[in-house]
Amino acid sequence: MSEPTRIAVDQFLPHPPAKVWRALTDSDLLGHWLMPNDFQPTRGHRFTFRTVSRPGQRFDGVVHCEVLELDEPRRMRWAWRGGTLDTVVTWTLVPEGRGTRLFLEHAGFDPDDPLQRRTFTLLDGGWRTQVRARLAGTLAALP
């Protein structure tokens, strides 16, 4: 459930944590299901995601990120800055039976900023539908 300052997504994936971690931390795989990037799984690494610009949102199509925390294969946190956003994305993996419970939290939205409210709505829908489905498809295709 999301609230005005944070998006929270809970997804069960029928794959072991090591496989889910690989999809989250391999730059090519991450680019396949999320966005093209220059990610490296190293604390302190600064990287970017590239997507379509949205001038009406004051977003040039580049998300500037930094790996804030890396606890393989349990937790990863990124600074996520783009347009008017200065937020944090946290991935938490919990083994569950033969699969993994994946928690995503995207936090730090300003509910008083109209641009951030619109961005929140776009990202909330994207994380819950498109990204979730694309990650599941990428994982299903991996050996």
Side-chain angles (χ1 to χ4, degrees), residues 62-83:
V62 180
V63 181
H64 300 273
C65 299
E66 180 181 353
V67 180
L68 302 174
E69 180 182 345
L70 198 67
D71 180 15
E72 182 178 351
R74 291 177 284 282
R75 185 174 156 98
M76 179 168 55
R77 291 178 66 225
W78 302 332
W80 179 285
R81 299 176 184 103

Side-chain angles (χ1 to χ4, degrees), residues 53-122:
S53 65
R54 294 185 181 270
Q57 292 291 115
R58 292 190 352 224
F59 176 58
D60 64 2
V62 180
V63 181
H64 300 273
C65 299
E66 180 181 353
V67 180
L68 302 174
E69 180 182 345
L70 198 67
D71 180 15
E72 182 178 351
R74 291 177 284 282
R75 185 174 156 98
M76 179 168 55
R77 291 178 66 225
W78 302 332
W80 179 285
R81 299 176 184 103
T84 64
L85 293 183
D86 187 358
T87 56
V88 175
V89 172
T90 305
W91 303 94
T92 304
L93 289 73
V94 178
E96 185 175 307
R98 294 183 179 191
T100 304
R101 177 72 52 187
L102 178 64
F103 297 95
L104 161 73
E105 179 184 80
H106 191 160
F109 295 90
D110 179 356
D112 296 325
D113 179 326
L115 282 176
Q116 285 199 31
R117 280 198 313 268
R118 284 194 305 245
T119 302
F120 175 94
T121 300
L122 290 169

